């Protein structure tokens, strides 16, 4: 499928979404399917025999073997939620349909919930996306480039040291025919050998062939067992070289998308979410209709996290001083 055909794919319409996930019962059934596609399995003993206590979204599944009780949301990021499942599902739908996700403020307005509730939903759903994508390591041939978000805000320092400029790497893996397959966009503390080496260990499989420009820090991919092919760009712009075609196409699309949606927002604060949502969507671009269902499954199977952990994660990129995976 070509890039243009992908762009013209239809997502899921609001009426279609509401027909499938408009009631608590429908959402509860979808969660059950997502968590236990093969039928109930006790999280403690693995037993399948169980009976159900209560009804609807709040029902409990009690294991006949060990008497352990589990709910549809326990053991996931939705654990202990007091929100209706329909609110969760609508948030998942809205975030999945926007190319770089939605801001917490937009979510607050569209869902009619308080800002703290929207903030937490937003961060938890983003966390599920990043948990899912971080499990995948790029392999084969990878185009790698450095980039920044923002940096043109009035009042900020100009150039590389600009306060509002957020450094990140973009990496695209290609298949045997040279078509783009998987994308990673990762915030970095800076373009240092240490940061690139750590990033490569977490995101690239050993043996990956990495093409980049001659920026010195990229050589650190060899620390992760990768083969590095630096291309001396010279007078040319990297976008003029076939070696960087896809990574530049992706960065161009990201820039266009962000320019339309977020030009006045603080990149430093929200960068992780934009990049995470963009990459998640790109990596599932062959079936945008299915994106909502995929994200429901990823949220249902996500690992639990306390509000404190979610908050710490939101602020992590600039505290860790190292690469984080989105
Ligand atoms: Zn059990």
């Amino acid at each position: 499928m070509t890039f243009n055909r992908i762009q013209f794919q239809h997502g899921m319409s609001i009426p279609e979404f509401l027909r499938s996930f408009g009631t608590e019962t429908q959402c509860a059934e979808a969660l059950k399917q997502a968590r236990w596609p093969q039928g109930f399995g006790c999280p403690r003993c693995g037993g399948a025999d169980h009976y159900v206590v209560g009804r609807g979204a709040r029902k409990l599944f009690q294991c006949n073997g060990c008497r352990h009780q589990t709910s549809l949301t326990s053991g996931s990021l939705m654990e202990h939620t007091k929100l209706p499942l329909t609110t969760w599902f609508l948030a998942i739908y809205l975030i999945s349909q926007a190319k770089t996700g939605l801001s917490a403020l937009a979510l607050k307005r569209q869902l009619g919930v308080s800002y703290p509730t929207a903030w937490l939903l937003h961060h938890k759903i983003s966390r599920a996306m990043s948990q899912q994508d971080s499990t995948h390591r790029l392999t084969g041939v990878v185009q790698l480039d450095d980039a920044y978000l923002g940096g043109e805000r009035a009042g900020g320092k100009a150039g590389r040291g600009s306060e509002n400029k957020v450094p990140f790497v973009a990496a695209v893996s290609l298949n045997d025919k040279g078509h783009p397959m998987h994308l990673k966009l990762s915030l970095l503390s800076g373009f240092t050998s240490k940061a690139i080496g750590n990033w490569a260990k977490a995101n690239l499989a050993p043996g990956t062939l990495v093409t980049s420009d001659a920026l010195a820090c990229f050589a650190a991919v060899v620390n992760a067992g990768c083969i590095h092919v630096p291309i001396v760009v010279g007078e040319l712009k990297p976008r003029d070289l076939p070696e960087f075609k896809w990574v530049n196409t992706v960065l161009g699309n990201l820039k266009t998308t962000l320019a339309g949606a977020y030009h006045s927002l603080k990149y430093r604060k929200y960068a992780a979410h934009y990049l995470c949502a963009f990459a998640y969507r790109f990596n599932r671009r062959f079936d945008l209709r299915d994106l909502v269902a995929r994200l429901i499954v990823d949220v249902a199977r996500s690992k639990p996290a306390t509000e404190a952990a979610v908050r710490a994660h939101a602020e992590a990129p600039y505290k860790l001083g190292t690469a984080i995976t989105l």
Side-chain angles (χ1 to χ4, degrees):
M1 192 183 284
T2 67
F3 224 74
N4 281 343
R5 278 187 58 201
I6 290 162
Q7 284 170 345
F8 285 112
Q9 269 189 86
H10 291 296
M12 184 185 267
S13 71
I14 293 175
E16 277 178 294
F17 170 78
L18 291 175
R19 273 199 296 278
S20 301
F21 306 111
T23 68
E24 287 297 290
T25 307
Q26 285 173 314
C27 293
E29 187 52 38
L31 271 190
K32 192 173 160 218
Q33 284 293 328
R35 292 202 63 178
W36 300 302
Q38 259 55 267
F40 175 81
C42 172
R44 184 177 285 170
C45 75
D49 290 339
H50 69 286
Y51 63 93
V52 178
V53 187
R55 286 193 304 136
R58 307 291 160 197
K59 64 187 163 193
L60 293 171
F61 297 74
Q62 182 161 322
C63 173
N64 285 351
C66 73
R67 323 289 290 167
H68 180 69
Q69 284 191 338
T70 189
S71 73
L72 288 169
T73 56
S74 62
S76 78
L77 278 167
M78 303 172 87
E79 190 170 79
H80 305 310
T81 186
K82 294 188 175 59
L83 289 172
L85 294 179
T86 48
T87 304
W88 271 95
F89 276 55
L90 192 52
I92 290 169
Y93 171 75
L94 293 170
I95 288 172
S96 76
Q97 298 303 295
K99 277 190 181 172
T100 50
L102 277 186
S103 70
L105 193 62
L107 211 52
K108 167 195 178 314
R109 290 184 184 132
Q110 299 213 37
L111 296 177
V113 297
S114 71
Y115 184 77
T117 298
W119 188 94
L120 203 56
L121 268 173
H122 183 243
H123 279 71
K124 285 195 169 185
I125 293 167
S126 291
R127 193 181 169 97
M129 288 174 159
S130 90
Q131 274 181 7
Q132 187 58 31
D133 270 1
S134 67
T135 60
H136 182 90
R137 285 189 183 195
L138 302 184
T139 183
V141 175
V142 166
Q143 297 181 351
L144 178 64
D145 204 0
D146 57 311
Y148 290 89
L149 279 181
E152 281 136 37
R153 257 164 80 82
K157 280 179 277 173
R160 289 207 149 191
S162 172
E163 293 150 25
N164 201 35
K165 230 173 169 182
V166 181
F168 68 99
V169 285
V172 181
S173 64
L174 309 179
N175 67 11
D176 294 345
K177 292 178 181 165
H179 294 154
M181 298 305 291
H182 208 92
L183 168 68
K184 290 225 179 227
L185 299 172
S186 307
L187 295 175
L188 288 187
S189 53
F191 296 112
T192 63
S193 295
K194 188 180 172 210
I196 291 292
N198 287 342
W199 173 84
K201 283 174 194 163
N203 293 286
L204 304 177
T208 300
L209 187 76
V210 181
T211 310
S212 74
D213 66 23
L215 191 68
C217 63
F218 287 143
V221 298
V222 299
N223 298 341
C226 298
I227 301 149
H228 185 221
V229 185
I231 308 285
V232 178
V233 176
E235 298 288 297
L236 293 167
K237 294 268 190 288
R239 64 173 168 271
D240 298 329
L241 295 171
E243 288 88 345
F244 301 109
K245 179 186 170 190
W246 287 114
V247 74
N248 282 306
T249 302
V250 166
L251 286 171
N253 287 351
L254 176 67
K255 197 176 163 189
T256 309
T257 307
L258 289 175
Y262 293 104
H263 54 94
S264 63
L265 293 182
K266 292 176 187 162
Y267 281 118
R268 188 160 284 274
K269 205 167 172 187
Y270 301 112
H273 289 300
Y274 304 152
L275 298 182
C276 171
F278 186 90
Y280 186 93
R281 197 177 156 91
F282 181 91
N283 291 333
R284 291 152 186 84
R285 68 198 178 282
F286 294 113
D287 196 352
L288 288 182
R289 272 191 58 78
D290 198 33
L291 198 62
V292 186
R294 300 277 290 273
L295 188 50
I296 288 167
V297 169
D298 289 342
V299 172
R301 296 181 187 171
S302 59
K303 297 183 195 79
T306 61
E307 185 170 342
V310 172
R311 285 190 185 282
H313 179 83
E315 291 157 11
Y318 305 105
K319 286 184 178 166
L320 287 176
T322 181
I324 64 148
T325 305
L326 290 169

